[in-house]
């Protein structure tokens, strides 16, 4: 069974601070996706990383896929209250059933004004 | 959320009743996936359907749960004789092909509470 561990589980910071959240596994994934989920809503896809070592930027968000495609990080620069939410990583299995995403439990981020 | 429509958004049932959750995928998408999110747990894959076919139901409990995606109309996730442990948020997602890389769109979820 492939597992994704996200850390930290909770993070509360002040507006303007930088932060990094992590997504780790002992398994290799063919791709990894990051989602943001707000209370009472469904996950919204932020980015997909496919190549080991890949770095993608989305405004103040920087996503990195580990060289071995087992881990990923999300770095937010100058966090804003609008960044508050549950950040989920999800791995696409490298086997035949690639539609079965494996989700981590998420990092709940609170950005205080 | 890119057009995946789920209803009801909230559903309350007593133990032993039936729950029916509906999902209309993004127009043109023929691949539907159901995931369940238990309190303080990650989303767990339940079932993958194409029109009139169940492709993979390996994540769905063997008893009381069933899913369908008919030729016409929404996909339905049915839970019979609900128990308290079924209380969760159930999310439907769709994709235009069977590939999920960057193409998976989630609905806003149906939150089931079993009293």
């Amino acid at each position: 069974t492939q597992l994704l561990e996200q850390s930290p589980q909770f993070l509360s910071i002040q507006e303007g601070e930088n932060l990094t959240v992590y997504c780790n596994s002992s398994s290799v994934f063919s791709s990894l996706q990051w989602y943001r989920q707000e209370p009472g809503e469904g996950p919204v896809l932020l980015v997909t990383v496919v190549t080991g070592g890949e770095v993608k930027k989305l405004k103040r968000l920087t996503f990195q896929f580990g060289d071995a495609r087992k881990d990923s990080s999300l770095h937010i620069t100058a966090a804003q209250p609008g960044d508050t939410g549950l950040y989920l990583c999800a791995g696409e299995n490298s086997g035949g059933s690639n539609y079965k995403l494996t989700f981590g439990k998420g990092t709940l981020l609170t950005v205080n004004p | 959320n890119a057009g995946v429509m789920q209803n009801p958004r909230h559903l309350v049932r007593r133990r032993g009743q039936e729950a029916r959750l509906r999902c209309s995928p993004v127009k043109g998408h023929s691949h539907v996936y159901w995931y369940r999110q238990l309190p303080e747990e990650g989303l767990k894959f339940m079932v993958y359907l194409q029109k009139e076919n169940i492709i993979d139901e390996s994540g769905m409990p063997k008893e009381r749960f069933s899913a369908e995606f008919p030729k016409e109309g929404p996909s339905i996730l049915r839970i019979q004789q609900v128990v308290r442990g079924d209380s969760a948020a159930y999310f439907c997602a769709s994709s235009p092909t069977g590939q999920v890389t960057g193409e998976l769109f989630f609905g806003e979820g149906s939150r089931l509470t079993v009293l």
Side-chain angles (χ1 to χ4, degrees):
Chain A
T1 302
Q2 295 178 300
L3 294 174
L4 278 168
E5 299 287 338
Q6 290 192 245
S7 61
Q9 189 176 356
F10 301 97
L11 185 58
S12 180
I13 61 171
Q14 293 300 121
E15 183 176 1
E17 293 184 2
N18 301 332
L19 66 114
T20 302
V21 297
Y22 301 93
C23 175
N24 296 300
S25 177
S26 58
S27 303
V28 175
F29 292 97
S30 57
S31 75
L32 202 136
Q33 304 175 16
W34 283 91
Y35 292 82
R36 192 175 92 186
Q37 184 179 18
E38 299 192 19
E41 303 293 328
V44 177
L45 180 66
L46 296 173
V47 77
T48 301
V49 285
V50 178
T51 307
E54 182 177 4
V55 176
K56 280 192 174 178
K57 292 194 175 185
L58 186 66
K59 297 184 181 178
R60 293 177 292 101
L61 279 60
T62 301
F63 304 85
Q64 185 164 8
F65 202 12
D67 291 340
R69 289 185 290 135
K70 293 182 179 180
D71 53 80
S72 181
S73 64
L74 159 59
H75 181 80
I76 302 179
T77 303
Q80 298 176 1
D83 295 328
T84 293
L86 179 67
Y87 288 83
L88 299 164
C89 66
E92 181 182 343
N93 299 323
S94 53
S97 55
N98 64 336
Y99 48 82
K100 277 187 196 176
L101 292 179
T102 298
F103 277 84
K105 293 183 181 181
T107 293
L108 185 59
L109 171 65
T110 303
V111 182
N112 302 299
Chain B
N1 274 320
V4 176
M5 302 300 294
Q6 290 189 247
N7 70 83
R9 292 290 307 277
H10 300 275
L11 183 62
V12 179
R13 285 287 179 266
R14 297 190 178 280
R15 281 179 296 171
Q17 292 184 320
E18 179 179 287
R20 283 191 181 223
L21 311 177
R22 296 173 193 79
C23 168
S24 295
V26 173
K27 188 176 181 181
H29 287 192
S30 58
H31 300 256
V32 165
Y33 315 81
W34 285 92
Y35 281 76
R36 178 165 67 174
Q37 188 174 37
L38 291 165
E40 299 184 10
E41 293 286 329
L43 281 85
K44 304 289 186 190
F45 168 83
M46 297 182 74
V47 62
Y48 164 34
L49 309 108
Q50 293 178 25
K51 285 284 187 181
E52 299 184 279
N53 285 306
I54 297 175
I55 307 303
D56 184 342
E57 57 183 349
S58 60
M60 203 155 63
K62 295 287 187 287
E63 297 179 354
R64 301 186 299 106
F65 284 72
S66 62
E68 63 176 7
F69 189 17
K71 186 177 181 181
E72 301 290 338
S75 175
I76 306 284
L77 179 65
R78 182 185 180 200
I79 312 172
Q80 296 178 289
Q81 299 175 333
V82 296
V83 300
R84 288 208 173 122
D86 296 334
S87 294
Y90 291 83
F91 290 96
C92 170
S94 72
S95 69
T97 70
Q99 300 298 316
V100 299
T101 306
E103 294 188 335
L104 200 61
F105 299 93
F106 281 87
E108 295 183 325
S110 292
R111 282 150 185 84
L112 172 65
T113 302
V114 179
L115 301 177

